Amino acid sequence: MKLKYFSHSAFQITTDGGKVILIDPFLDGNPTSPVKSDEVKADYILLTHAHGDHLGDTFKIAKKHNSTVIAVNELANYCIENGLKAHNMHIGGSHQFEFGRVKFTIAHHGSLTPDNHFGGEPAGIIITIDNKTIYHAGDTGIFLDMQLIGEMNKIDYALLPIGDNFTMGINDAVKATEFLKADVSIPIHYNTFPVIEVNPKEFKLKVESIGKKAIVLEYGQEIEL
Ligand code: NI
Ligand code: MN
């Protein structure tokens, strides 16, 4: 499978079978994204929560490509009520889709939609495709249950917010890599706006100093997992 980073929390996964899965596709309003919403397609869109910088261009993309949104119940229902196809899940639940397995975890954050509807609880997402497991933490502060996530899942790639202010900052995210025992950590949710400006190389160096691996992805970079 391939993993492409659009900046902020937005990713594209392309499976060996050719399915395209977007995560938190915040593109058009995102000053750091190298692509706009009319340049991507999606079979599925995974959402961690309803904030505008995560819900992003979900409606534009899903309407155009008939994508299925996968989100917690309240946010999935919001998408359905507004004309999209969705698969409702909730925290702690997992489901086998045609492309792989998806499980929702807790996240400590908020989840109001841009038009002020309750989006349910914010979440992290564990995605297992072709025997590789990716944990996208969503927007969250650090929490001790990350140890449990690391104990019960072999996390190959942990996508962790480091931008501080709204989420974990660098030191908390480094601690999170210890809790998760992730093979490789990838920093997200930084430098999109002035208030979340940090140096991702500092994260990488600190993760390496505890004997772990981190990769700082360029905006638009795609890697083979
Ligand atoms: Ni948020
Ligand atoms: Mn956010």
Side-chain angles (χ1 to χ4, degrees):
M1 99 178 101
K2 286 189 287 224
L3 179 71
K4 188 170 192 171
Y5 185 44
F6 291 132
S7 78
H8 206 59
S9 296
F11 286 87
Q12 171 183 286
I13 293 170
T14 307
T15 69
D16 293 346
K19 293 291 173 198
V20 178
I21 300 126
L22 298 180
I23 308 170
D24 289 356
F26 172 52
L27 306 174
D28 292 349
N30 175 353
T32 52
S33 175
V35 301
K36 294 298 168 204
S37 64
D38 59 2
E39 297 171 78
V40 298
K41 67 180 192 101
D43 297 297
Y44 295 88
I45 299 175
L46 300 181
L47 296 176
T48 62
H49 65 293
H51 286 159
D53 57 320
H54 297 261
L55 185 62
D57 305 299
T58 294
F59 279 91
K60 277 186 237 176
I61 298 163
K63 278 188 176 152
K64 187 170 166 193
H65 298 282
N66 198 29
S67 328
T68 300
V69 174
I70 302 171
V72 298
N73 190 56
E74 293 82 359
L75 180 54
N77 282 339
Y78 170 81
C79 291
I80 292 167
E81 280 157 20
N82 288 284
L84 302 187
K85 266 194 325 192
H87 181 105
N88 302 41
M89 294 186 67
H90 230 304
I91 289 160
S94 67
H95 183 77
Q96 184 69 37
F97 292 88
E98 58 176 343
F99 61 84
R101 194 158 194 92
V102 172
K103 183 172 187 178
F104 279 82
T105 75
I106 60 167
H108 290 315
H109 195 64
S111 188
L112 203 66
T113 69
D115 58 353
N116 293 324
H117 287 79
F118 177 57
E121 299 303 318
I125 309 176
I126 300 170
I127 308 149
T128 303
I129 299 173
D130 304 334
N131 290 320
K132 286 268 181 350
T133 296
I134 299 167
Y135 167 57
H136 189 304
D139 279 2
T140 188
I142 192 169
F143 53 89
L144 192 58
D145 282 8
M146 285 177 177
Q147 280 184 344
L148 189 61
I149 293 172
E151 190 182 307
M152 297 186 72
N153 302 272
K154 188 195 164 294
I155 307 292
D156 295 293
Y157 294 85
L159 317 179
L160 301 172
I162 65 162
D164 218 338
N165 193 77
F166 300 112
T167 67
M168 294 188 283
I170 286 174
N171 290 338
D172 287 8
V174 171
K175 189 72 189 172
T177 68
E178 276 185 55
F179 285 166
L180 293 162
K181 298 196 247 34
D183 275 0
V184 179
S185 296
I186 296 174
I188 65 173
H189 210 273
Y190 65 91
N191 291 358
T192 325
F193 314 110
V195 74
I196 57 172
E197 270 174 21
V198 297
N199 185 352
K201 298 221 171 73
E202 182 189 334
F203 172 76
K204 181 176 158 68
L205 287 173
K206 285 183 170 171
V207 171
E208 286 169 352
S209 77
I210 57 165
K212 297 294 224 174
K213 195 171 169 200
I215 302 175
V216 178
L217 293 179
E218 302 292 329
Y219 301 155
Q221 186 179 350
E222 186 168 54
I223 55 171
E224 178 78 43
L225 306 191

